[in-house]
Structure formats: structure tokens, C-alpha cells
Amino acid sequence: MSKQTYRICFCCQRRFKLAVSEAPIEIKILFDNYSENGVMTAQHLHSFMIQEQKEVKATVQDAQAIIDSLKDLRHLNVLRSKGGLNLEAFFQVSIRRPEPSTLAPTRGHNSYLTGNQLSSDCSDVPIIHALQRGVRVIELDIWPNSTKDDVSVLHGRTLTAPVALIKCLRSIKEYAFSASDYPVVITLEDHLTPDLQAKVAQMLTETFGDMLFLPGAECFKELPSPELLRKRIIISTKPPKEYLEAKDVKEKDDSQRGKDTDEEAWGKEVPCLKHQFSSATDGKQFAAPEYKRLISIHAGKPKGDLKDALRVDPDKVRRLSLSEQQLEKLAIQHGKDIVRFTQRNMLRIYPKGTCINSSNYNPLIGWMHGAQMVAFNMQGYGRSLWLMHGMFRANGGCGYVKKPEFLLKSGPHNELFDPKVELPVKKTLKVTIYMGEGWNNDFEDTHFDAFSPPDFYARVGIAGVPADTVMKKTKTLENNWIPAWNEEFEFPLTVPELALLRIEVHEYDMSEKDDFGGQSCFPVSELREGIRAVPLHDRKGDMYKSVKLLMRFQFV
């Protein structure tokens, strides 16, 4: 077995055996069960796919295609002369098939910022990247330029450098449907004079042409289906003073916002905020008629108590915007009213204005109450954004996910879903983490530890309603690039429709913060049972080239 050398000081070195991938015990048992005389034929593999992987539509031809796909792995002793796989080849088949896996759109907040909310540059590049990831709602803050004769995009009253609106619009047109055909909503935070509003109307009309959805004179009586609006651009607005009002709300110091705690990452409970809301005001009246006619989704802030804002008008659809802390407070006593509102109307949640480092909040609170637009700082990497990536892997990654039926309609006795009420367990997800590999291919030898191979441990858990939310951890395996944990966890689920499976790997560090080793997140509703190779992603959500876990998913 080859060895790996680490330098301790000028004159001393430590040598470690370099581990190799080896089939876990359970893989060996399955191979014995579905093979004969050490050979797994296409017929055997087909039986394994049907019975263990629950791939009920698989055919013998599919199994043969998997066997044939190993032709390039010449270092394996694939028993082709006998028409099948040996144990090592079967193990490689298991770990080389990356696959674990109406509608609410992915949404970006201040989509044009390259970094923090105060001093970063504004650019169309983050917009392009967001659209390429499948984001379906783009937010633009539009202001007069320095000479008051054109329109810029910037985060107002900050040091952010502006970018021309027309540049952003042209990039949206080019990349809007690069990842999905479903409609893109452009939310405009308007700080313009009537003459510049008219100029924006001309820009929108000339840039998007027939792609631009025009609502007509009447308000929507119900929200249209995204299916009917494929490859269309929809314009929405919100009150220009929204952020200023949010900043007037006295709140706790955000100095702990950047801390990566389990409570913030997993949202174990809805926090009880102590401070009162400031009074809301009506949205600005548009003076330019050619601008107003382009607005498909009108947004305004309500007067008086926020509970009154949740009143449902049977004759028209409207959009309400709440800050993250407003939603958290309102959800404590009026959660079912929020659910009722979102059955017919659109609810948008946005990060509080004091998040200057572009961090994010727990999105599950909005999703479990039916909010259609939960806005994220796409440049703010961390666990909250990983949850968003996981949620919108559903539905083919098209950027829209259908809400569960209990959030769309009331029950037979007009009862409404309440996320705080603990319901009976519907199903239990059993997760087995066998092993991981690939870090030694994607990272330098000393990336995790300068003096020895890494000490990896895995964390796995559920993000969902409070009753289902939990996090568990494997043992730490020392000095091993290919950790074999072979541990099993069970997760009882009361609302599996809203549950996300979270997976993380970290490297234990006794003296400093543990190092990050990868993460993935998937909707429980779209998990495929059986033994699966799960690719891990970096902090930004980009998939590593080689790093993956071998896992098993079972519903019992």
C-alpha cells in the first residue's frame, strides 16, 4: 500500500498509509445476494435495480447499458467474458452513478450586487449567474443617474457603484431562459420621476418585445399558471420606501448574523421578536401611464396593523411584501391567516435591511406558510442558500416548485395548515452513510491539515417544519482521505412534503473552527430509494469534480 508523507518540522516527517476505496460490508452482502459464482449478470443487476433501488421501470437493457458503461475503467477486472460484473465493478457502478434525486419561483434579492450591501459594485454578471442557476425572480433597484437623464441600478443611499439599467435588461433577455422556459419576474424598486418612468417603459418594451407579458386593464382574479407563461417576462413593483421603513424598525444588533450556528442554519423554532412594527404606507402612485400598463403584479404596503394586510379579496389578486422579521412575528399568532392569504395572493419575503454582509435568513418559515417569493441574497453563501438550492432541485430544476395541496386549499371542514401544530408521523426516512471519497483529488494534501490526512465527520439532518427539524452526526474518522462511517440514521417525518435532506461533511480541527468538506441538499419528496452516489458541493453551491458520498435511502 502506498504512503503519504507530511513534514512536521525541518528534520521530522510523518508517513501515513494511503487508503483506497473498498466496498462496504453491505455492498458485499448485496453483491452476494444478486450474483452467482462471483458474477453479476445483466439479469442479476436488473433484479437488484427493481428490488433494492426501486427502479420499477428499469429493463434488462438498462442493466446491460450500465455494465457496458464500465468499458473505460480498464483498471477494473470486469468479467466481460462471462457477461457480468465482479464485486469491484459492482462497487464502482454504485459509487459512480451520482443520483439521489404548483409552483413557487426561486427568487434573488438585490440580484445585481457583487458582494455586500454597502460598498460592492453593481453589475449584470450576478444577474447572469442567477439566471443560469434557474432563478426566476430578479430584483432591480432603479434610480436616476448622476445627471438625472438616465436610469441606473444600484442599492440606494449606499456606496455601491451603479450599472446602467439597459445593460441589465439586455442581459436578462439573453439569459432569462438559459436554464428554464418558465417565466421570469422582474421586480422593480422604483425611485424615479415620471419622465424617467416613461423612459423605463420604453426600455422594457424595446428590449423584450413580444416576450413582455401585458396584463390588460383588469386585475388578475387568480394567479395564472407558470405553464401558460413560458418564455414570458413579467414586471412587478414594490413601494420605493420599503427598505427605508424597514431600517426604521428598531431591532437587535446583527453582529451574530455571520455566526454559523445550527439554530440559525436549521431554523429549529420561529424566533419571538420583541419589537413592534412601524406603520405601513401605501405604495407610490405611478404618474407615467405607459409605465403603469406594463405592471402585471402590483405591490403595495398596507395601512394599519399587518394582520389587516392578510385580508383576502375574492375579486382580485395582490402582492404583499413582508420583511423576514415581520414574517417571523406575524407567524407566531397568525400563521393560519398567512396560509389563507397565500392560497389566492402572492406573498414576498425579503431580507432585513441591516444585513449589510449579504447574509440570508431561514427560508423554511416563508415556505411552510405558503409564501411564493422568498428573496435571497444570491451572493450570500451559507446554509440558508444551500436550503434554497435543495428546494429548487425539485421539479427538474425549472425554477418553480408546486406547493403541497394543503397549502393550496383548505381542508374539507375549512381547516387550514398550521406549521406549529405537531401532526402524526407520515413516513420515516432511513439514511445510511457508508463512505466518502474524492477529496484527495480535488484538494491539496495539506488543505485540511498541514501535518496529517484529514479527520472527516458527516452531518445529516432534516430542515422542515419544527417537529421534523433535526441534525445528527457521525463519528470522526482520523487520518483518512476515504472515510468509511457505515452509520445509519432515522428521521420520522410529519410533513415530508416540506422536508429537505441536508448533508454536510466537515474536517475536525481541535484548535480552530472545523474545516468545510462539502454539502448537498435535496427535497425528501424527490429522493430515490436505494444505494446512491451523492455528489457534494462547495460553499457557493458548485459541484466538486470528484467528492461524493455513498449512501442509502429507504422509506419505512
Side-chain angles (χ1 to χ4, degrees):
M1 179 180 289
S2 59
K3 295 187 177 182
Q4 196 171 36
T5 302
Y6 287 81
R7 184 176 296 278
I8 304 302
C9 59
F10 292 109
C11 58
C12 298
Q13 293 181 335
R14 295 178 68 189
R15 303 185 73 189
F16 297 86
K17 290 182 179 180
L18 192 59
V20 295
S21 288
E22 183 179 351
I25 295 296
E26 191 167 338
I27 298 294
K28 296 178 180 178
I29 293 173
L30 286 169
F31 178 79
D32 290 340
N33 292 341
Y34 290 92
S35 65
E36 187 174 350
N37 297 323
V39 179
M40 179 181 283
T41 65
Q43 290 284 355
H44 293 137
L45 181 57
H46 177 242
S47 298
F48 167 78
M49 294 168 70
I50 296 291
Q51 296 179 36
E52 302 294 338
Q53 303 293 80
K54 310 301 181 185
E55 299 177 19
V56 295
K57 295 183 180 181
T59 65
V60 176
Q61 290 73 25
D62 294 331
Q64 186 62 53
I66 293 172
I67 294 174
D68 294 341
S69 70
L70 294 179
K71 289 178 180 178
D72 58 329
L73 301 180
R74 298 178 181 177
H75 61 285
L76 298 179
N77 183 24
V78 180
L79 302 181
R80 297 191 179 280
S81 59
K82 297 182 180 181
L85 307 174
N86 63 4
L87 172 61
E88 179 64 16
F90 174 63
F91 171 52
Q92 293 298 326
V93 165
S94 300
I95 203 167
R96 290 175 182 271
R97 295 180 69 200
E99 44 171 359
S101 106
T102 59
L103 306 181
T106 41
R107 178 182 172 84
H109 173 69
N110 292 349
S111 313
Y112 48 85
L113 287 178
T114 58
N116 68 59
Q117 305 283 311
L118 289 182
S119 59
S120 64
D121 290 336
C122 301
S123 170
D124 64 330
V125 174
I127 296 173
I128 293 171
H129 289 166
L131 292 169
Q132 289 174 331
R133 281 190 176 274
V135 170
R136 300 289 86 191
V137 184
I138 299 295
E139 180 178 285
L140 302 176
D141 295 282
I142 50 178
W143 294 76
N145 67 353
S146 58
T147 57
K148 311 297 183 184
D149 60 354
D150 205 347
V151 181
S152 295
V153 174
L154 75 154
H155 198 192
R157 297 178 173 85
T158 66
L159 300 177
T160 55
V163 61
L165 172 63
I166 188 63
K167 184 176 183 181
C168 295
L169 297 181
R170 288 170 178 166
S171 294
I172 292 173
K173 179 182 179 181
E174 183 175 355
Y175 293 95
F177 307 109
S178 59
S180 170
D181 285 349
Y182 283 99
V184 169
V185 179
I186 301 176
T187 295
L188 301 176
E189 184 182 330
D190 172 15
H191 304 266
L192 303 177
T193 56
D195 59 320
L196 289 179
Q197 288 178 351
K199 188 164 187 173
V200 170
Q202 183 179 356
M203 288 184 192
L204 292 169
T205 303
E206 293 179 354
T207 301
F208 297 116
D210 292 339
M211 296 167 61
L212 193 62
F213 176 75
L214 300 178
E218 298 296 326
C219 293
F220 287 133
K221 291 192 175 181
E222 61 180 19
L223 292 172
S225 167
E227 186 67 31
L228 300 176
L229 298 173
R230 282 176 176 264
K231 292 204 170 183
R232 303 298 293 272
I233 303 292
I234 300 172
I235 306 300
S236 179
T237 62
K238 65 179 181 178
K241 296 181 179 180
E242 190 171 280
Y243 279 98
L244 297 180
E245 290 168 353
K247 290 176 183 177
D248 289 337
V249 180
K250 293 182 179 180
E251 55 193 6
K252 292 181 180 179
D253 181 25
D254 286 320
S255 59
Q256 294 185 344
R257 166 66 69 161
K259 292 185 178 179
D260 207 21
T261 63
D262 287 345
E263 287 73 21
E264 288 182 349
W266 291 85
K268 292 184 177 178
E269 58 183 352
V270 178
C272 181
L273 304 183
K274 299 179 180 179
H275 306 291
Q276 300 295 321
F277 299 128
S278 58
S279 298
T281 59
D282 283 326
K284 182 169 67 174
Q285 298 297 315
F286 303 111
E290 60 267 51
Y291 180 67
K292 185 175 181 179
R293 76 179 183 86
L294 301 180
I295 309 304
S296 298
I297 305 173
H298 289 267
K301 296 202 72 177
K303 292 181 178 180
D305 189 82
L306 274 177
K307 183 180 182 301
D308 297 334
L310 300 176
R311 178 180 52 82
V312 176
D313 188 334
D315 295 324
K316 66 178 181 179
V317 168
R318 58 194 178 93
R319 196 197 83 185
L320 175 67
S321 289
L322 296 176
S323 68
E324 57 175 288
Q325 68 267 41
Q326 287 176 326
L327 173 68
E328 289 169 351
K329 186 170 184 179
L330 199 57
I332 294 171
Q333 294 183 337
H334 304 291
K336 291 195 289 186
D337 293 322
I338 301 174
V339 172
R340 181 187 291 109
F341 178 84
T342 58
Q343 288 177 349
R344 277 192 50 81
N345 300 281
M346 192 167 287
L347 178 61
R348 168 186 172 271
I349 312 301
Y350 61 93
K352 53 186 176 183
T354 51
C355 295
I356 61 174
N357 62 349
S358 293
S359 59
N360 284 299
Y361 53 100
N362 183 352
L364 266 301
I365 302 173
W367 290 335
M368 71 180 64
H369 288 89
Q372 292 90 343
M373 294 183 174
V374 179
F376 286 87
N377 290 310
M378 298 299 291
Q379 67 276 27
Y381 309 123
R383 285 192 172 103
S384 296
L385 197 63
W386 302 343
L387 293 181
M388 188 276 285
H389 291 158
M391 170 66 79
F392 288 96
R393 284 194 173 97
N395 206 23
C398 71
Y400 286 79
V401 176
K402 186 174 181 178
K403 295 196 293 185
E405 201 67 21
F406 55 78
L407 288 176
L408 293 172
K409 299 178 182 178
S410 301
H413 305 292
N414 211 30
E415 64 270 23
L416 292 161
F417 175 70
D418 187 348
K420 296 189 299 296
V421 174
E422 187 167 346
L423 301 172
V425 173
K426 283 187 178 180
K427 63 174 67 174
T428 296
L429 173 64
K430 185 185 293 186
V431 177
T432 305
I433 305 181
Y434 295 120
M435 58 171 292
E437 69 168 25
W439 289 280
N440 55 332
N441 295 326
D442 292 350
F443 296 91
E444 297 290 335
D445 290 350
T446 56
H447 175 85
F448 296 103
D449 194 319
F451 307 114
S452 67
D455 308 326
F456 285 128
Y457 64 89
R459 305 171 70 216
V460 60
I462 297 294
V465 297
D468 295 345
T469 299
V470 68
M471 190 70 162
K472 299 180 181 182
K473 177 184 172 183
T474 69
K475 57 183 174 289
T476 300
L477 297 182
E478 296 183 352
N479 303 327
N480 201 328
W481 282 101
I482 306 177
W485 297 288
N486 292 307
E487 294 191 41
E488 183 181 284
F489 303 95
E490 289 192 0
F491 302 100
L493 301 173
T494 62
V495 189
E497 299 89 342
L498 293 175
L500 298 172
L501 176 68
R502 283 292 318 280
I503 304 162
E504 297 179 11
V505 174
H506 298 270
E507 197 271 338
Y508 175 74
D509 194 319
M510 185 167 56
S511 59
E512 299 178 357
K513 182 179 178 181
D514 293 351
D515 294 316
F516 175 78
Q519 58 83 23
S520 276
C521 183
F522 304 96
V524 167
S525 61
E526 297 207 358
L527 283 178
R528 301 177 65 185
E529 290 193 78
I531 296 172
R532 306 292 174 185
V534 179
L536 296 188
H537 303 74
D538 63 16
R539 291 180 183 273
K540 296 181 180 180
D542 296 325
M543 188 184 300
Y544 289 123
K545 292 181 179 179
S546 308
V547 179
K548 62 178 75 72
L549 302 180
L550 186 63
M551 305 181 68
R552 186 173 191 173
F553 306 113
Q554 297 170 283
F555 289 106
V556 295

